[in-house]
Amino acid sequence: MSYKYLFFALLPFLAISCQEDETLDLVDYPNTAISLFLPNSEDPLNGSYQVTYAADGTLNVDKEVAFKVQLATASPNEVTVDLAYTFKNISGEEINLPQQVTIPAGEVEQSVLLDDFSFINDLSEQKYEIEVNVAAIHGSNGEFVKPVSVKMLLNKASFSSNVALVGESGNNLSFTRIYANGEILNEDKMAFKFTVQLDKVLKEDAEFTLNVQGLDESLLSNIAFSSNSIVIPAGSLVSEEIVCEISDDFLKITDKDEEYSISISASATQENEYLNGDAETNKIDVNIIKTSNVLEQVSKPDPMWASRERTGWKITTSPGVEGNPSSILDGSTYSGITAYGANNKLWFIAELPQLLEEVQGMHIHFEFSWYPPKKIAVSVSEDGGSWRSLGTLDVKVISGADLYIKFKSPTSFKFLKYEVLCLYL
């Protein structure tokens, strides 16, 4: 009986304890402190973002513009957070940001990404500021203490489209023109192709004219463009191809060797504050060298060269030269002509049976390479009386005993004179 008594005595005590637990409400949700932060910023509360324009005119941001709403601990309930915004230089009606975010039960954060920048419509340099504040929390037992906020500063560069000339063969061109007897001997024309380009599209057509610097105004008629009015359509980056041709006529005015440095650039026909025509890319430089010197030393013969038949050639040499003059034609490296003494001149004239056309170069072999020529001159004639200089050549030290001379312009002649002007001594 005593056990039964003890048993029934405890029952009322247990019942009373349960009732007291319910009244005290000891089972409770943990406090859920809330915070805002910027995940892509060195400063989690104050972020700075650089906004620039892409080639198609759209905006690029150097990193994601985003903020996160975060709970210190997960809540067993869904938590809804009301957000409030303060804007500088932005109309709240133009920007798409949520007024509320929901953090699902058991999770601790929710991200908000700003990826619509259509509110930016000013092409000038601007700063836009967005401040995000937590206004209220729903579904959490945690106590909310103001302020909870972050700031995002968007630094937008001004829109500017750089003008560029882009040459098919580059933007630095050089032409060498061979001049003789009042004529330019080159058969190829001085011509090249290029386009006018922008690095960012415009919303309207851009029209340009071409400018030439480096020539006297009286000579500008020697430069012709396939089009004098160039248009880059709205939404495009490239104009149609332009051909530039430069006449040889102005090179025939004098007999002197000359050099011209010409620069071609593009200018907008109408003022546009968003076009930058001063960029270094807005030019093509053309260097024109007019010379009567067609001689060029090369290290080896051109693979297309072929030895000419020398039957019937006559050789005349300078006085005091030793050796059989005709031996310089026999192809042997053990025979030739020699001039002794520093004051002795060495030259020879080759007379051909008939006119030799389109000669591209010549090869001189020395028996020894101890004293190669330092400077030589070459002249040609069709009748042996009227001579045309092909120029002089400062000879680089010869490796071996062979001198290869290329004619920059193929040359025709019946008489050829080779003269040593100076020796390496």
Side-chain angles (χ1 to χ4, degrees), residues 29-51:
Y29 299 146
N31 287 345
T32 52
I34 192 166
S35 63
L36 295 178
F37 72 96
L38 305 172
N40 300 314
S41 173
E42 292 183 4
D43 184 339
L45 301 181
N46 294 279
S48 181
Y49 307 85
Q50 307 306 313
V51 184

Side-chain angles (χ1 to χ4, degrees), residues 293 295-297 346 362 364 366 372-379 389-396 398 403-405 407 417-423:
N293 193 342
L295 307 181
E296 178 185 358
Q297 183 179 350
L346 174 60
M362 60 186 297
I364 303 291
F366 303 93
K374 187 175 183 179
K375 188 171 186 176
I376 60 100
V378 178
S379 304
S389 172
L390 298 185
T392 61
L393 179 66
D394 293 319
V395 180
K396 301 172 186 176
I398 298 171
L403 173 61
Y404 298 101
I405 303 172
F407 299 159
K417 182 178 182 180
Y418 170 90
E419 184 176 7
V420 176
L421 302 179
C422 182
L423 290 172

